[in-house]
Amino acid sequence: MSYEKSGSTHKVLSIILRLGQICCAAIVLGILARFSYLLTIRQVHENSRLVYAMVVAGMSIIYSFLLCPPFRNLFMSFPCDFILFIMWLVAYCLLQTQSGTRTCSSAWYRDYWGYYWGSYWRVGRPGINVHRAGCSHWRTVLAFSFIAWFAYLLSGILGIYVFHKYIKVKETANEFKHQAKKHLGRDSQENDYGRPVNEPTGAGVSQPVTEVSQV
């Protein structure tokens, strides 16, 4: 079955997954960017794990936005989906292990995330009671980071399914070869700044000879 005659289920699923990926990445990037802004006010060094998560989120927004239309050739980018799946999985593991299983009661949360999110540097030194400041935002970052890597995993699996079921490898290769030959043939017919090969040049055209009779 050709891709043009295929159903619309996988196309709808692809759009839903792409929109979900954009939303997850935008939420994670927005919260972490807000926290980064608070750190710049205090002029504090930012955690490298948070920076990595922001980079992955920014790349994901651009990638998912460009590949949102369910065109046939875009399904062939499923290897990139698996790459982003691994990157998001690494980001989630780094963020989850940063606060550990205690999350909003961990020392890192109390002395870093909650302390600077609630601007408690105006009150005292790290270690004071931060009253769960920014706890919901940190949990949101962890939750949507988890959803993001799962969404990219599903996109990769969907891409493999569409590629093997509707996109024939031989047909795709033949199409690329046909397009390449078409462009090469068009280029070979022209030389000398667009002049056809069969067109005679000025040097090859015999000029008529006019004999002048002498009086």
Side-chain angles (χ1 to χ4, degrees):
M1 181 184 297
S2 62
Y3 182 80
E4 289 74 11
K5 298 180 180 179
S6 62
S8 59
T9 303
H10 64 278
K11 300 177 184 178
V12 175
L13 289 177
S14 177
I15 295 176
I16 293 175
L17 287 174
R18 294 302 182 197
L19 294 178
Q21 293 161 5
I22 294 174
C23 292
C24 291
I27 292 173
V28 172
L29 181 60
I31 294 176
L32 295 182
R34 169 64 179 173
F35 184 71
S36 178
Y37 169 73
L38 295 174
L39 293 180
T40 56
I41 296 177
R42 184 57 179 170
Q43 297 181 351
V44 179
H45 178 70
E46 189 166 358
N47 190 296
S48 59
R49 301 188 182 192
L50 303 183
V51 175
Y52 172 78
M54 285 192 292
V55 172
V56 174
M59 294 173 56
S60 301
I61 293 175
I62 298 175
Y63 173 81
S64 297
F65 178 77
L66 294 178
L67 273 72
C68 191
F71 297 142
R72 183 188 66 173
N73 293 335
L74 297 183
F75 281 100
M76 299 174 63
S77 62
F78 62 88
C80 296
D81 288 315
F82 285 109
I83 293 176
L84 283 173
F85 152 68
I86 296 175
M87 295 177 67
W88 270 110
L89 181 60
V90 172
Y92 170 75
C93 293
L94 290 175
L95 296 177
Q96 181 64 52
T97 55
Q98 183 68 72
S99 58
T101 57
R102 301 177 62 184
T103 313
C104 294
S105 59
S106 63
W108 177 85
Y109 167 82
R110 182 181 64 253
D111 298 338
Y112 189 74
W113 181 272
Y115 179 77
Y116 291 107
W117 186 276
S119 301
Y120 279 96
W121 69 79
R122 299 188 178 96
V123 179
R125 299 176 64 85
I128 63 175
N129 187 7
V130 296
H131 303 288
R132 300 179 66 85
C135 178
S136 60
H137 295 84
W138 177 245
R139 290 182 181 273
T140 302
V141 169
L142 295 178
F144 281 97
S145 298
F146 177 85
I147 298 174
W149 72 255
F150 189 71
Y152 278 104
L153 175 61
L154 293 180
S155 289
I157 296 174
L158 180 62
I160 293 178
Y161 169 78
V162 174
F163 182 77
H164 284 282
K165 187 172 181 63
Y166 300 114
I167 302 176
K168 304 300 181 180
V169 179
K170 293 183 178 180
E171 293 179 359
T172 305
N174 292 333
E175 182 179 353
F176 286 150
K177 290 180 180 179
H178 176 72
Q179 294 295 333
K181 290 181 180 179
K182 184 177 180 181
H183 289 291
L184 290 176
R186 183 181 303 171
D187 294 338
S188 62
Q189 291 178 358
E190 297 183 357
N191 65 354
D192 196 11
Y193 299 97
R195 178 179 298 167
V197 176
N198 297 328
E199 181 180 339
T201 58
V205 178
S206 59
Q207 301 293 335
V209 179
T210 305
E211 295 182 357
V212 180
S213 59
Q214 297 180 354
V215 180

